[in-house]
Amino acid sequence: MLPTAHPVPPPAHIGPPPPPEQARSQGAARVVLVLALSALGLWILHGFLPALAWAVVLAIALWPLYARLERRFPPGRHNLLLPTLMTAAVALVFLAPLAILGVQAAREAHDVAEFVRSAEANGVPAPEFLQHLPYGAAQATAWWNDNLGHAQAGSELLHRFENHSVVGASRNFGREVLHRIVLFGFSLVALFFLFRDWRTVTEQARVACDRLFGPRGERVARQMVASVHGTVDGLVLVGLGEGFILGVVYYFAGVPHPVLLGAFTAVAAMIPFGAALAIAIAALLLVAAGSVKAAIVVAVAGFVVTFVADHFVRPALIGGTTKLPFLWVLLGILGGVETFGLLGLFVGPAVMAALVLLWREFTEGRDKTA
């Protein structure tokens, strides 16, 4: 005969549900606790939030490539090799250009030192382009020779520059460099863990968006991710292409230091219409050297390259990915850069993409559930 089954009593800690008033007060207390802990966490991490944001941006931008590599080379038990290699590749992409620029700058340091010694001993000679000015060439050259062309003026100018610029700027330079290195290293560490645990992170983000905002939250998140992809393609890749093309133009036109100026053009070109500043500097350097025709060639080539990139390539890449009008892309980029610095290149368009999506759904009266 089988033994009689007895019902299992509930655990002792589970009691009757609290009354409605107590449940509401407990819910309010939980909300206050969550907000207080979130605010405290943000305050603790506020110095590292830009590094975390950069890690998220890089992870989103590189996720398609990483997923393809992961399918090609399945991860092992601990999943360490592929995230390590990807993180090292990202570090190399950022550090290699800086190393090249450092070597190039070191090569030019001798010429700069010679110029400083010559200026201190003999003054700063009048640039050649003053003699080719259409109006006031003689007066401008005479003023330069009277004020800067003799040894005493050159020594006073360099002494003033050393006291007010070099010394003042070098006080916090080492501290800023160390701070940037720490943030960059922290970004790489965070990027490694995002690569390693990307499935868990994306699933948790999807569940959190669904619980907090419903299906609309997931759509907004997908729109922001698409905006980051479009911004990387439309700004970073196009900017690097502009810098490479114009760097070749600088080299054949005889612009001084074409590698450094080409790298500066690539960085400036990531901001819409920012390449115009680099092109103007290159043209002015050629004019100062007396190569007016080469300066015109550089200006025309720069105008053509930036016009095609800013009016055709970028709108197609960014707007085509996010279905976002280029005006809002432009406002998001410029406003983001002004507010968040270089990070705003990606944050600004992502926020604009989310706002435009919500506005479209609101004005069209749609509330999709899928």
Side-chain angles (χ1 to χ4, degrees), residues 17-28:
E21 295 80 5
Q22 184 179 358
R24 285 194 295 268
S25 63
Q26 289 178 351

Side-chain angles (χ1 to χ4, degrees), residues 127-138 141 287-292:
E128 186 178 353
F129 75 91
L130 290 179
Q131 303 176 4
H132 300 282
L133 293 176
Y135 302 101
T141 303
V287 171
S291 303
V292 179

Side-chain angles (χ1 to χ4, degrees), residues 268 273-281 306:
F273 315 112
L277 174 62
I279 297 169
I281 293 175
T306 55

Side-chain angles (χ1 to χ4, degrees), residues 98-113 257 260:
L98 293 178
I100 295 174
L101 293 178
V103 171
Q104 185 71 18
R107 291 177 179 176
E108 304 296 337
H110 176 72
D111 295 338
V112 174
H257 317 301
L260 292 175

Side-chain angles (χ1 to χ4, degrees), residues 326-354:
F326 185 67
L327 173 62
W328 293 106
V329 174
L330 181 62
L331 293 176
I333 292 171
L334 298 179
V337 170
E338 183 179 0
T339 305
F340 300 105
L342 192 59
L343 184 62
L345 287 174
F346 310 96
V347 175
V351 173
M352 291 298 105

Side-chain angles (χ1 to χ4, degrees), residues 65-148:
L65 175 61
Y66 184 82
R68 191 177 300 113
L69 290 174
E70 196 176 55
R71 289 192 297 268
R72 179 66 177 84
F73 306 100
R77 179 180 178 183
H78 300 288
N79 192 21
L80 296 176
L81 181 59
L82 189 57
T84 301
L85 293 177
M86 281 292 294
T87 306
V90 172
L92 185 63
V93 167
F94 281 93
L95 295 178
L98 293 178
I100 295 174
L101 293 178
V103 171
Q104 185 71 18
R107 291 177 179 176
E108 304 296 337
H110 176 72
D111 295 338
V112 174
E114 288 294 334
F115 172 79
V116 170
R117 284 193 291 267
S118 175
E120 190 173 6
N122 305 314
V124 182
E128 186 178 353
F129 75 91
L130 290 179
Q131 303 176 4
H132 300 282
L133 293 176
Y135 302 101
Q139 292 82 353
T141 303
W143 179 90
W144 187 286
N145 292 329
D146 293 339
N147 292 274
L148 302 174

Side-chain angles (χ1 to χ4, degrees), residues 18 20 81 107 133 139 162 206 225 228 243 249 251 270 349 368:
L81 181 59
R107 291 177 179 176
L133 293 176
Q139 292 82 353
E162 180 181 357
R206 187 193 65 79
V225 169
V228 172
V249 174
Y251 176 79
M270 295 180 188
K368 299 178 181 178

